[in-house]
Amino acid sequence: MADIPKHPDKFEDVLVQVQHDLSQLKYNIEKINVGEKTATLDIKVLDNAISKTQSSIRRHAEDYLKSVNKQQLVLPTIVDIEKQTLKTYKWKPSLESLPDVYSKRKTFGAVFPERKVKPEAAERLAVTKAKGKCVQYLPEVELEPVIKPSLLRMSAQHNIMSLQPRLELHFSKKELDFKPHKESECQAHSESRVGIKVGESEHLLTSLPSLPTQITASDSMDQMETQDQSVDAYKSTNIFPFTIVKGQIDPMAKDFICFKEKFSWCWSNVAEVLNDLTKLLREFAVPFAKVDGEHLIELLRESNYCWRKTLPKAALFSVLENKGEVLELVSRPGQRYRGEGGRDVAATRIQTWWRRYVIRTCYLYYYRRKMAAEAISLSYMFHYQKCQVKKTLQAKRFRQLINYRRRAERLAENWKHIRSSKRTIIHIPSLGFSQSWRLSTRKYDILQNIQITRLCDIRDENVEVIYICPMRLGEDILQYYDNFLRRNGADSSTNQDLPCNKRFLILTPEAVDHFPTRNMCLSTLLKYSPCTLKQIKRQIQGKQAYIVGGVGHEDDLEVADELRVPILGPEPAVSQLYGTKSGGRRIFSEAGLEVPPGKGNVFSLNQINVQRGGCDAAYCDVCHLPCYSWALRRYQHFGPDLWHSEWVQETVMMKYLEEIPEWLIFYTILAKSSRFQSWSEFLKIFLRQGGVVEAYPPSENVTYVTVDMLLEPNGEVTILSWGDQLHGYCHLDIVGSIIPKTSVHIETLHSICMCVAHACKQNYIMGYVSVGLATFVDHNTMKQKIWGIDLDIGFSDHLAMTQMLLMATGGTLNWRTGCFEVPVKEKCSGQEAEAKRLVDSRYAVVGIRLFHSNLSMLYHSIFLNICKSKCIDFNKKENQGTVFALYDSDDRCTIGMIAVSEDLQGALVTFAQNLSVIHQEILSSKKGEETNFEVVITNIEDMLEVIIQNKNQLED
């Protein structure tokens, strides 16, 4: 606790004493006998009094502040406040002690001129106490100025001004707050001022404690008369202009003398600014400049010059009245070199720029060499690191390939045991195409997930399926397949937390969320998903397991090596080599199967050509070729024997090469217009990736057949499915199939498949293989001809949908009879009560890629309810009806559909009616809808017409 001072506050007594000392000073001054003209005033008395007063105020002020700072303020009680009486100190000097100086007024007439004083100016000084602090209020005086300077007044003024502090040392903002239009401020800064105005003494006392107290003697009142006169003069002229000629100020000019007299109180700062201004004008050789004095003082006040010491050039030019002319002159190029020291500045500038040029030239030369050295070192370092990484990857790939071959050997040795025992199949429907092909394909994840019906492999009681899904599936699709598999007698699990004894499991790699736009193949996504890999390891621990992939990729080997399971398929290099159009032609040629006339391996860059599902194909009719009819005449002229000679075909080939470029531009039709926008884009991709040029079968009625086989590791061949292709916009756009096939005899088809399988085994192709054939009737021999068109290595979309068909119906495909057989129940007549199982044949139309943009407006549950309300459903008892395959939960534009009926015509009609009903239900008024429903319906109608015509011919 700070000590509370017990002595009374004496600060008001000090002020009273100050007033008393000032009164005595006035009295002593008036006693001086100045009757003689040569009499002088002793200034020492005045100096002693002022010094005494100043030291007294400083000492008591310090004591007072120390006491107040140490004192702890405590609120008094209410009772004490009521009883407390305020004690006000008043100065009541005895009137007898004051001399009568009125009679002596006239004797001072020569020295102090007579002035008029208002009654308020003669009031005594009053001291009041407010809020615990003593504040001195001095009355303002309003004087009528009559300026008659005398020797006494000038001497007093000199001594009083010498007592004031230097404003340039303590130049506060309040002291520079100069406003000429106010009378008080004009009086405060007048050169002829002797004392400080009474009303401003408080401000000076508070802002500058070192200033002396206010002098209220009669002489100081005389000094204020001259100040009032200056105020009137200032009111008449608000601006104090003066001129600067050739960077020099005439000190004897009247305007400059007037300006100097008005602002002598801050002349040190003004002089410094004027020196900077004149120096600047001399440097730029400005012949004439007119300075606005009022603006100059205002600039000093606003810029706080005492702290900055210098002003920018823009601020110095702003005080000029003719600044427009000056700035125009200054802004001229080279004007600086015409002024004071211009030659030296020019020489310095030239030398500076020359040194800069020389040094910068050397630096740039050094910098280029340094950057070249850094580029070489970085390139070498990157090259070295790249070589090291490449070697590491090659060693890793080679090690994975060796492990793949070892596991493949063990798989071949134990295949019979594995196939007859419980096993786990890891389905990875990956499309390991080239990066350019993947990036240019839209909805790549949906394209990989079309084979989600691989789940139906669990129709074998010894099989458990782990399906790796390339996208996040919604609960609607998971629930749909769960119900579908349960309804057909299979247990299921779509949750990783459920027990492991369930029959199938759907897993989505976590890398799907990290690479949503990269169109990465599923094997690569699984490679970068350690959590999913760990989960698969837990599921297959202690079980017989193997991987069934899609289109081969190098990352398949790494996934298999991580899971330590074999792959039922060829090496990725073999798959990429023979899974193309050119590779398929080589396999068919080795198998002795006839291929379309043409040439394979047509490409300019050393890249593999790819083609799947007719996506990267184009066709054109040679009838539009101008030289076509002429070439036919040449063929008929030379005959079939001489036509194969090179010298006969040379002239036709030359003419053909001249016309083919323009003909292709106008008459080429793209199989997938959504993938390639123009022929030039297709040609660019074709020449970069490679391809084949083949002839179309010479017939109007061409049927395409798809056969799926399994080349088992032990060398056996199993035909899994077959069917006639269902096309969309053209014969290269495959959207589905008709099961079973009806265009080729089963024995002929079986022999062809065996030959192709034998050729595949010779080229180390193992696993699932899909063969595309074209059949037509040759008009020359009137016999059926079969061409090999496509060879796809891997699990095909057609086989996946066939698995769903067999799961829904519980039927089988008998490759010996070529029929699709399903079990049916029928009650026997007579006394037999039991029902016996019969086998009946069925026909199915399978739609793999049915697309309609308006399907995205319906959720799958709503879509299935609409179909059910329209009697589009599957009857399990009769094994007839419609089954849907759902692929994704977000886009929902692509679906699969299977229509099963007792005969082919009924299956086609059911399929076409289903498409028509769905199209009508989801049809909207908006234009620009994308769908292949109408094209498929048109193709089915054409097929129905052919079937009806064939029936009529058979009946006839």
Side-chain angles (χ1 to χ4, degrees), residues 852-854 856-857 919 922-930:
H852 202 297
S853 58
N854 289 349
S856 60
M857 298 185 299
H919 180 68
I922 64 177
L923 188 63
S924 63
S925 59
K926 296 190 301 182
K927 296 182 179 180
E929 297 175 347
E930 297 182 7

Side-chain angles (χ1 to χ4, degrees), residues 320-373:
L320 302 178
E321 291 185 357
N322 61 336
K323 61 181 178 181
E325 301 175 358
V326 173
L327 291 177
E328 182 180 0
L329 178 65
V330 169
S331 61
R332 293 178 182 177
Q335 184 64 27
R336 172 64 186 91
Y337 310 124
R338 298 185 179 94
E340 185 179 78
R343 294 175 62 86
D344 296 339
V345 174
T348 303
R349 181 63 60 86
I350 293 172
Q351 294 175 6
T352 302
W353 280 89
W354 172 250
R355 292 191 187 99
R356 176 186 176 276
Y357 170 76
V358 173
I359 295 174
R360 180 166 177 79
T361 302
C362 297
Y363 169 74
L364 291 178
Y365 178 72
Y366 164 76
Y367 180 76
R368 284 193 294 268
R369 297 181 65 183
K370 178 184 177 182
M371 294 303 296

Side-chain angles (χ1 to χ4, degrees), residues 42 131 145 261 270 283 363 382 405 704 746 838 875 878 883 886 947:
D42 190 2
K131 297 182 180 180
E261 290 176 355
V270 175
E283 289 178 350
Y363 169 74
F382 291 154
R405 291 175 179 174
Y704 294 87
I746 188 61
L838 301 178
N875 189 343
E878 298 180 358
V883 179
L886 306 179
I947 292 174

